[in-house]
Amino acid sequence: MPSRSQLAEQLDPATTVLLTVECQQGVVGPGSALPELAEEARSSGALGRVARLVAAAHEAGVQVLHAVAERRPDGRGASGNARLFRAAGRLPVQQHTGTAAVRIAAPIEVADEDLVVRRLHGLSPIAGTEVDALLRNLGCRTLVVTGVSANVAVPNAVFDAVNLGYTAVVPSDAIAGVPADYTPVLIRNTLALVATIADTEDVLRCWPGRTPRGGGS
């Protein structure tokens, strides 16, 4: 765990982007395709903490980017080279483009200045998407990774961010996976080796108020 001053330096609003991963209605909302994951995200408080981080980012001038996984109704372009993809294609709730399932779930509020990146394939919110180009154009140096799941998409995002040269910060209480006891094991034995681990309150203390991106007053 870095000192407060070190964390504040990493989380400079002018060079930080907050990423929410698959915090969409069809994943973590009521009627989720993955009810066990949705229950864990909500009952653990992780989804509520993501919402708090998003609200604080809006107030502090930190760019927010929402990564959404979706699928065309005809399945065109979707990945099928893993058991996970084949199982997802058989679920009763589908993350179809343009449906309620791919809207950002409450209590997260999406602001006009937020960016939403949608992907039709793969496991990662970053690899094979436009996220890296957007981050570079935004002057991002630190990516704060939140959301679900700790099983697949969250570690993918962290690894990809680090491989691309960004500093990754993971608020440990703002991610969720199943079973519940898997998430702290992942954080301790894997993510802590490559990312800065903090908690939501630590991050919130670094974003006290509005700071225009690029500096200024």
Side-chain angles (χ1 to χ4, degrees):
M1 175 69 190
S3 68
R4 183 177 296 188
S5 62
Q6 289 172 327
L7 185 62
E9 183 178 0
Q10 287 184 349
L11 293 174
D12 178 355
T15 56
T16 298
V17 172
L18 173 65
L19 176 69
T20 76
V21 178
E22 296 183 26
C23 291
Q24 58 202 75
Q25 292 185 29
V27 176
V28 295
S32 165
L34 303 164
E36 184 180 1
L37 177 59
E39 172 61 22
E40 175 60 22
R42 291 179 172 274
S43 64
S44 69
L47 187 62
R49 294 185 193 99
V50 174
R52 290 182 63 203
L53 288 164
V54 169
H58 292 157
E59 180 63 24
V62 174
Q63 179 67 54
V64 178
L65 193 158
H66 305 281
V68 173
E70 60 182 47
R71 181 184 178 95
R72 285 170 50 113
D74 62 6
R76 192 176 296 272
S79 300
N81 57 335
R83 177 183 171 191
L84 176 64
F85 301 131
R86 295 189 291 272
R90 297 191 296 269
L91 291 172
V93 178
Q94 291 291 304
Q95 315 298 319
H96 283 165
T97 301
T99 67
V102 297
R103 296 175 189 158
I104 302 302
I108 298 168
E109 295 188 2
V110 180
D112 290 341
E113 63 266 27
D114 292 1
L115 297 172
V116 180
V117 174
R118 304 177 182 277
R119 76 178 194 275
L120 292 173
H121 63 86
L123 299 169
S124 174
I126 298 177
T129 74
E130 59 184 324
V131 168
D132 180 40
L134 293 174
L135 295 179
R136 294 188 187 282
N137 289 346
L138 290 163
C140 177
R141 295 177 61 187
T142 298
L143 187 66
V144 181
V145 180
T146 67
V148 297
S149 73
N151 304 79
V152 179
V154 166
N156 259 261
V158 172
F159 294 147
D160 287 343
V162 173
N163 284 332
L164 289 167
Y166 303 102
T167 295
V169 173
V170 178
S172 58
D173 54 355
I175 65 172
V178 290
D181 58 5
Y182 175 73
T183 300
V185 172
L186 169 79
I187 292 169
R188 182 172 61 253
N189 295 294
T190 302
L191 298 187
L193 302 178
V194 295
T196 296
I197 306 301
D199 61 30
T200 295
E201 293 302 326
D202 293 326
V203 175
L204 293 176
R205 280 192 288 267
C206 295
W207 294 341
R210 187 73 184 179
T211 302
R213 291 191 67 82
S217 59

